[in-house]
Amino acid sequence: MSDKATLTIGEKSFDLPIMKGSTGPDVVDVRKFYAEADHFTFDPGFTSTASCESKITYIDGDAGILLHRGYPIDQLAEKSSFLEVCHLLLNGELPTADEFRKFEHNITYHTMLHAQFDSFFQGFRRDAHPMAVMTGAVGALSAFYADSLNVDDPKQREISAHRLIAKMPTIAARAFQYSQGRPFVTPRNELSYSENFLRMCFSVPAEDWVPNPVLTRAMDRIFILHADHEQNASTSTVRLAGSSGAHPFACIAAGIACLWGPSHGGANQEALEMLEEIGTVENIPAYVQGVKDRKYKLMGFGHRVYKNFDPRAKVMQKTCYEVLDQLGINDPLLQVAMELEKVALSDPFFIDRKLYPNIDFYSGITLRAMGFPTNMFTVLFALARTVGWISQWKEMFEDPSRKIGRPRQLYTGPTQRDYAPVETRG
Ligand code: CMC
């Protein structure tokens, strides 16, 4: 196999080095192409472009494989815990027992928010979307934790990473409690990450909160499933924002804003709303016809990278059954989802386009059963993805070849022309 590709433009040929990863497709290195050939490459949705080198997450979309630092997602979801996965993503290895104790201590040590931060929430309307609150609140962390903003200091980078992983559940739970008109609940460090989060969301002063191990496990698994996903839109946003040297709180706020879009993290809310709109199994054929007539998309279906089952969707479906079973809920929307999946997977429109259920298809039913309103779904995604974002951000800072991200363009606007006074225009 050649270690270079040759590209010919007119009379001239240009040799482009080929880079090899540990697995996955080889990559044609075009970094010097513009300087040598005076041409750009064109790839608006980055469908063929590797924007960075990374050792964190690997996806084989055709085979439906997702690995974090080499470990398959189903094994992590089944056997690990979210905090262990955080250590894995951030530091490259699963922790030893001693490393885990230290890591857990470092995270729980940072779960509280500055007392003045609580008044920050009061500025939002009670009916504000919790993602609007998250974007603002996470950006505002920099105003409270100015001692870890120096991105050139590895220790400060580490403290900021721990702060973000630790404080995200506290902020997300406050955004939720605020929207419900309930008092904020202080984190408890003797509880696990997910148990603590559920308690901060659902406990009220009027009665004791009793943990439910099945729901805690489901929450932890949902966090694991959302922890990282290679160079998706929000992660690329975090990397691009970070490439200018911006501090991590600003970068993660940018990631949250990007995640909110309906094609990305906002899809879990839209998928549940779609199931509600369909309502009953009898309405499925008409709804699917609307998709085929391109009136709307089937939310929770399709993926830029997976052209096979999203491996996260399989675990999510199992978790969904476990939660409904534990709570004794017979949700008619589950019937609608299962039938819709069956209809879509046997329809040539979806087969030809390789459209399979993604993680968002079953997550909404699960989260609703657990007591979360639909507008919290994307917040939970953001909470879990924070570790992926910050791990990718950290990796970028440790890469000596880091450069400010600066894409170019194919310009198709007017060429140079002279300014005309207003009375001569028309
Ligand atoms: N329903 C109906 N048709 C679809 C769908 C869908 N959900 N997704 C893609 N298509 C069609 C699309 O219209 C196109 O058809 P044609 O070639 O005839 O014009 C073809 O499939 C290829 O689609 P595409 O738009 O080129 O694919 P993409 O890679 O740009 O889009 C996607 C990926 C996730 C944005 C898209 O599948 C989508 O909008 N899905 C629904 C939203 C959703 O569930 N998003 C969650 C993604 S997983 C969570 C996350 O990582 O954020």
Side-chain angles (χ1 to χ4, degrees):
M1 225 0 184
S2 170
D3 56 359
K4 66 176 171 41
T6 306
L7 201 147
T8 306
I9 303 174
E11 306 276 280
K12 277 190 164 175
S13 287
F14 302 91
D15 286 341
L16 303 167
I18 292 186
M19 299 169 73
K20 289 191 183 303
S22 45
T23 180
D26 293 345
V27 168
V28 180
D29 181 352
V30 295
R31 275 177 291 187
K32 297 200 175 122
F33 183 61
Y34 171 60
E36 287 171 4
D38 199 28
H39 278 65
F40 294 137
T41 54
F42 187 65
D43 187 17
F46 304 124
T47 48
S48 298
T49 296
S51 61
C52 64
E53 190 180 321
S54 181
K55 294 182 170 58
I56 302 176
T57 292
Y58 173 74
I59 303 175
D60 181 337
D62 293 325
I65 289 172
L66 167 62
L67 309 176
H68 290 321
R69 305 279 191 187
Y71 295 104
I73 188 66
D74 51 326
Q75 287 185 26
L76 293 173
E78 200 61 48
K79 299 177 181 166
S80 187
S81 69
F82 179 64
L83 259 199
E84 226 186 31
V85 172
C86 287
H87 186 285
L88 176 70
L89 291 171
L90 206 51
N91 301 314
E93 293 296 339
L94 285 168
T96 61
D98 195 38
E99 284 167 342
F100 185 72
R101 263 192 302 278
K102 283 191 194 130
F103 185 67
E104 192 176 35
H105 171 79
N106 283 341
I107 299 300
T108 49
Y109 180 76
H110 286 296
T111 49
M112 284 182 57
L113 287 170
H114 191 290
Q116 218 181 327
F117 202 92
D118 283 351
S119 53
F120 190 80
F121 290 92
Q122 313 299 327
F124 289 96
R125 288 168 51 136
R126 291 269 176 192
D127 62 356
H129 196 293
M131 279 299 277
V133 179
M134 292 300 287
T135 322
V138 172
L141 283 173
S142 59
F144 290 83
Y145 302 100
D147 60 341
S148 63
L149 297 184
N150 180 357
V151 294
D152 296 320
D153 177 350
K155 189 71 205 155
Q156 292 197 30
R157 291 204 296 264
E158 186 183 40
I159 293 172
S160 277
H162 291 165
R163 278 184 168 146
L164 276 157
I165 296 167
K167 292 185 199 303
M168 214 59 179
T170 316
I171 297 173
R174 273 162 165 62
F176 176 51
Q177 295 281 41
Y178 185 72
S179 71
Q180 304 292 306
R182 296 196 297 243
F184 294 154
V185 180
T186 307
R188 298 288 321 173
N189 289 350
E190 75 276 14
L191 300 179
S192 74
Y193 190 88
S194 296
E195 204 167 47
N196 181 45
F197 175 64
L198 289 173
R199 180 180 165 276
M200 287 194 290
C201 285
F202 296 113
S203 134
V204 289
E207 58 189 33
D208 290 337
W209 180 79
V210 185
N212 177 327
V214 174
L215 299 192
T216 304
R217 183 72 196 118
M219 191 76 267
D220 211 60
R221 198 171 277 165
I222 290 169
F223 288 159
I224 293 173
L225 294 178
H226 288 87
D228 192 47
H229 214 224
E230 207 226 57
Q231 307 310 321
N232 56 82
S234 58
T235 303
S236 299
T237 301
V238 170
R239 278 190 180 256
L240 191 57
S243 76
S244 74
H247 61 70
F249 302 115
C251 298
I252 302 302
I256 294 172
C258 175
L259 184 76
W260 197 0
S263 297
H264 194 5
N268 51 14
Q269 174 171 347
E270 302 229 350
L272 190 85
E273 286 167 358
M274 173 194 77
L275 293 174
E276 282 171 338
E277 191 189 328
I278 297 172
T280 60
V281 168
E282 297 77 64
N283 296 333
I284 290 175
Y287 195 87
V288 168
Q289 192 53 50
V291 174
K292 295 201 283 193
D293 294 343
R294 295 174 189 278
K295 290 188 187 144
Y296 37 75
K297 279 188 172 175
L298 197 56
M299 299 312 282
F301 253 73
H303 199 275
R304 167 60 62 79
V305 182
Y306 295 119
K307 301 302 168 198
N308 197 327
F309 241 90
D310 176 344
R312 303 169 301 171
K314 288 186 187 159
V315 185
M316 196 64 245
Q317 189 189 44
K318 190 168 158 241
T319 306
C320 181
Y321 290 135
E322 279 170 17
V323 167
L324 296 190
D325 193 43
Q326 165 70 27
L327 297 173
I329 293 177
N330 185 10
D331 189 339
L333 289 194
L334 182 62
Q335 296 312 115
V336 176
M338 281 162 53
E339 184 60 22
L340 183 57
E341 179 184 331
K342 210 166 91 191
V343 169
L345 291 180
S346 55
D347 188 308
F349 178 92
F350 298 91
I351 296 170
D352 293 350
R353 290 170 180 77
K354 298 187 176 167
L355 299 172
Y356 290 86
N358 59 49
I359 187 170
D360 292 326
F361 196 64
Y362 284 102
S363 64
I365 301 175
T366 320
L367 294 173
R368 185 168 84 146
M370 291 171 75
F372 290 105
T374 43
N375 65 7
M376 273 298 286
F377 295 177
T378 316
V379 171
L380 302 174
F381 192 157
L383 188 170
R385 185 56 58 85
T386 296
V387 65
W389 288 331
I390 202 67
S391 302
Q392 302 265 353
W393 177 88
K394 177 173 170 274
E395 182 179 64
M396 183 182 71
F397 270 92
E398 288 164 358
D399 181 350
S401 68
R402 173 172 70 98
K403 264 184 172 332
I404 185 166
R406 178 57 171 93
R408 302 303 301 267
Q409 62 177 6
L410 172 66
Y411 179 71
T412 52
T415 53
Q416 185 169 336
R417 48 186 171 164
D418 289 326
Y419 178 88
V422 67
E423 56 283 4
T424 66
R425 291 175 216 157

